[in-house]
Amino acid sequence: MNNDVVRIREFELNGQKFRVRVPLSIEAENIYEKTKEPDAALLESKFKEIADPILKNKESLEKESQDFVFTDNDIVVKGQSMRELAKNKVSTELRIVETFKLLVPADNTSLADLTYEEINEEFPLPIQLTIVKKITEIISPGYEENRKK
């Protein structure tokens, strides 16, 4: 018996068939850990991406608005930490990438080197989230019901 074939499930989305490899428990745990505590360098990079445009206008923003609070290592906009926003964005992108890597390409190529940028070029965020939800439902059939409890 070929365990890899047994672990493949299928679903359909808008007439398109997708094949998904059900991860082993250790693989699922690794995905969870990777998204729970993203790499510090990745977080810093995403924070800079978000913060740099704001920092360019720091002086005028401080004078004109009380919505911006600048600290030594963060910017808070209307009570929302930009560091926390960066962490949430990185975690979401990692979850999307790691979940997409469970897809089985029709030509059996590897998705090991797949990046979020590649996914984002092909699919808008709402479609990405729909595909992730479908993959999660197919690999963990009772997940949504258990999550609501």
Side-chain angles (χ1 to χ4, degrees):
M1 174 166 58
N2 185 340
N3 288 340
D4 289 336
V5 173
V6 171
R7 291 179 27 219
I8 293 176
R9 296 187 181 159
E10 294 182 359
F11 69 93
E12 194 170 309
L13 180 65
N14 295 336
Q16 178 68 43
K17 283 191 176 190
F18 291 88
R19 294 178 47 183
V20 180
R21 181 181 52 81
V22 177
L24 298 171
S25 295
I26 190 73
E27 291 173 303
E29 287 173 28
N30 289 340
I31 291 169
Y32 173 75
E33 288 302 319
K34 192 181 279 190
T35 59
K36 186 176 119 184
E37 287 302 322
D39 178 65
L42 193 55
L43 288 173
E44 192 59 33
S45 171
K46 188 59 72 177
F47 174 73
K48 280 187 59 64
E49 181 183 309
I50 293 169
D52 282 352
I54 298 170
L55 290 172
K56 286 181 183 176
N57 300 308
K58 180 180 178 181
E59 288 181 25
S60 65
L61 290 171
E62 285 179 315
K63 289 177 188 174
E64 297 171 14
S65 177
Q66 295 177 358
D67 293 337
F68 293 84
V69 177
F70 296 87
T71 65
D72 290 340
N73 68 346
D74 200 359
I75 303 168
V76 179
V77 180
K78 294 184 178 181
Q80 172 69 50
S81 161
M82 294 300 102
R83 282 215 179 270
E84 192 63 30
L85 178 66
K87 181 179 180 183
N88 291 340
K89 190 165 174 56
V90 167
S91 292
T92 299
E93 289 175 3
L94 284 172
R95 184 170 54 90
I96 290 168
V97 170
E98 294 304 316
T99 305
F100 266 64
K101 286 181 180 180
L102 297 174
L103 291 170
V104 178
D107 60 3
N108 289 324
T109 57
S110 173
L111 295 178
D113 297 329
L114 185 66
T115 65
Y116 181 73
E117 289 72 24
E118 292 170 325
I119 295 168
N120 202 37
E121 285 176 11
E122 293 291 324
F123 304 103
L125 184 60
I127 301 295
Q128 293 171 31
L129 296 175
T130 299
I131 293 171
V132 167
K133 182 179 180 191
K134 287 290 208 181
I135 292 171
T136 302
E137 289 171 357
I138 200 78
I139 64 174
S140 305
Y143 174 76
E144 281 298 318
E145 288 178 21
N146 290 336
R147 190 171 164 212
K148 291 177 185 175
K149 292 180 182 178

